[in-house]
Amino acid sequence: MKSDRLLSILLLLQTRGRVPAHELAERLEVSVRTIYRDIEALSASGVPVYAERGRHGGIELLAGFRTDVTGLTADESRALFILAAQGAHAALGLDDALGSALRKVMAALPEPHRPAAELMSRRVLVDSARWMPGARGPDPAAAAIVDFDVLRDAVFADRRLRLRYRHSGDAGPSTCTVDPYGLVAKAGVWYLVADRRGVPRLFRADRVRSATVTEAPVRRREGVELADVWGVLKRQVEERPVGVEVTARVARRRYELFLRLHGHRLGGPPEDDGASEWLTVSLGFGVIGEARSLLPFGGDLEVLSPPEVRAELARAAAAVTELYGAGPGAGNG
């Protein structure tokens, strides 16, 4: 369509400056004569575009002229700048290309949208890679995210945040005031990255029981950005030593569910001979008691080693059998 072609010409001229007519014709797959007719149409509509003929000639816009030809809304502009964490593009050799592309998009954004887009890139990160074995992962028992809008508002308003938060292993929530750096989506789980009393901390959004934005301005460490703090916290989590290494076999038909629940604990791909009904896996747990999370798989999962974990699961299973074998209410004393 002619309107699409005119928009493409305008974008190219804003990005490239002077462009020879034959190059525009090649890129848009039309004749040079059609390009000159399009330039006349742009000029007639009020766009200050002109052509210079000759060996070093070309088509360009009047110096200083810019217009919002992207059609992006403020929300769309911010969405473009939710960046993948460093390394996500490196695997494809595209880190430099990503930075270059974002600079070009930023230059093409309407002036009023640029500050919000730039702030978004500094306050939100997306890291799609799974946690390394032994690190924390999605918690099937966690509640739905509470007050996520409040977390977001505190991050972008640069305000301190008061949380009621349940730490892993605690019976109930505790209260603290934190200084947010931003939000990170790691393997499908949202985290608030913040300082507590000047010390970097990681708070799972689905463990926040309530959140309140205070009137106090945030107290971030000077020169420190979200990406810096996230890098430190991520290493702390992933380099945490695995206390108990477990070898188990999982029924092939249940492996997909096993992977969703315990994939973050795997030390590598399963051993699979392609014929057996079982897959052999290696997992890491912080303490022996954490291995009880394998019990819901019943006879579809067997721990092969170490013996201490087998004994722990046997005791847990025996306690459940005794409770239900004694009849209703017998376990209440």
Side-chain angles (χ1 to χ4, degrees):
M1 294 177 60
K2 182 176 181 179
S3 59
D4 292 336
R5 194 169 64 246
L6 294 178
L7 180 58
S8 296
I9 291 173
L10 195 48
L11 279 170
L12 286 167
L13 296 179
Q14 283 198 170
T15 304
R16 299 271 306 281
R18 178 176 296 185
V19 182
H22 69 83
E23 183 176 333
L24 288 173
E26 289 174 2
R27 297 205 42 178
L28 300 176
E29 298 181 346
V30 295
S31 67
V32 172
R33 179 175 296 182
T34 297
I35 291 297
Y36 281 119
R37 282 201 296 264
D38 289 343
I39 297 306
E40 291 177 1
L42 285 171
S43 181
S45 66
V47 176
V49 59
Y50 64 95
E52 287 190 4
R53 299 184 182 275
R55 181 178 178 184
H56 300 291
I59 298 167
E60 64 182 305
L61 297 168
L62 189 66
F65 174 80
R66 297 199 68 80
T67 185
D68 174 18
V69 294
T70 64
L72 292 173
T73 66
D75 284 345
E76 289 169 342
S77 301
R78 288 194 293 269
L80 284 175
F81 284 81
I82 297 178
L83 301 184
Q86 186 176 13
H89 295 81
L92 298 174
L94 295 176
D95 268 355
D96 291 341
L98 174 66
S100 175
L102 290 176
R103 286 192 295 272
K104 291 177 182 178
V105 173
M106 181 67 80
L109 286 179
E111 187 67 33
H113 295 352
R114 293 180 193 174
E118 192 274 338
L119 183 62
M120 179 68 75
S121 71
R122 295 169 53 207
R123 295 286 183 264
V124 179
L125 285 174
V126 176
D127 188 339
S128 58
R130 292 171 180 246
W131 286 109
M132 295 295 287
R136 71 189 76 186
D139 181 0
I145 293 177
V146 176
D147 290 333
F148 190 79
D149 289 347
V150 179
L151 304 184
R152 182 192 61 201
D153 291 345
V155 164
F156 288 103
D158 291 332
R159 291 288 185 267
R160 305 192 86 194
L161 190 61
R162 185 174 297 110
L163 301 178
R164 288 186 69 249
Y165 183 80
R166 183 185 65 80
H167 293 277
S168 177
D170 288 356
S174 57
T175 302
C176 60
T177 299
V178 300
D179 296 291
Y181 285 91
L183 296 165
V184 175
K186 171 67 169 173
V189 178
W190 280 103
Y191 295 88
L192 172 72
V193 174
D195 278 353
R196 183 184 181 188
R197 298 173 182 170
V199 178
R201 298 288 299 275
L202 200 57
F203 299 89
R204 284 182 59 126
D206 54 10
R207 289 185 184 151
V208 173
R209 293 299 171 258
S210 67
T212 305
V213 181
T214 72
E215 293 298 321
V218 71
R219 303 174 188 173
R220 299 188 185 101
R221 284 166 285 143
E222 186 176 356
V224 178
E225 295 286 346
L226 170 62
D228 304 319
V229 186
W230 170 243
V232 171
L233 292 171
K234 181 180 176 182
R235 285 193 297 274
Q236 289 177 357
V237 172
E238 294 189 333
E239 293 174 3
R240 183 181 301 160
V242 174
V244 182
E245 295 185 0
V246 172
T247 301
R249 63 174 193 159
V250 185
R252 186 183 297 274
R253 63 186 182 84
R254 300 294 300 281
Y255 184 70
E256 185 175 342
L257 175 61
F258 171 83
L259 195 60
R260 289 204 300 270
L261 297 179
H262 298 285
H264 61 288
R265 299 185 184 277
L266 289 176
E271 295 180 17
D272 181 7
D273 61 10
S276 172
E277 294 296 322
W278 298 88
L279 303 175
T280 302
V281 296
S282 297
L283 306 94
F285 293 94
V287 295
I288 288 178
E290 291 180 358
R292 290 190 176 204
S293 61
L294 300 175
L295 283 172
F297 284 88
D300 290 324
L301 185 148
E302 180 189 4
V303 169
L304 303 177
S305 66
E308 296 83 359
V309 173
R310 288 179 61 91
E312 175 71 13
L313 297 186
R315 284 192 296 270
V320 172
T321 300
E322 181 179 356
L323 174 65
Y324 284 95
N332 295 330

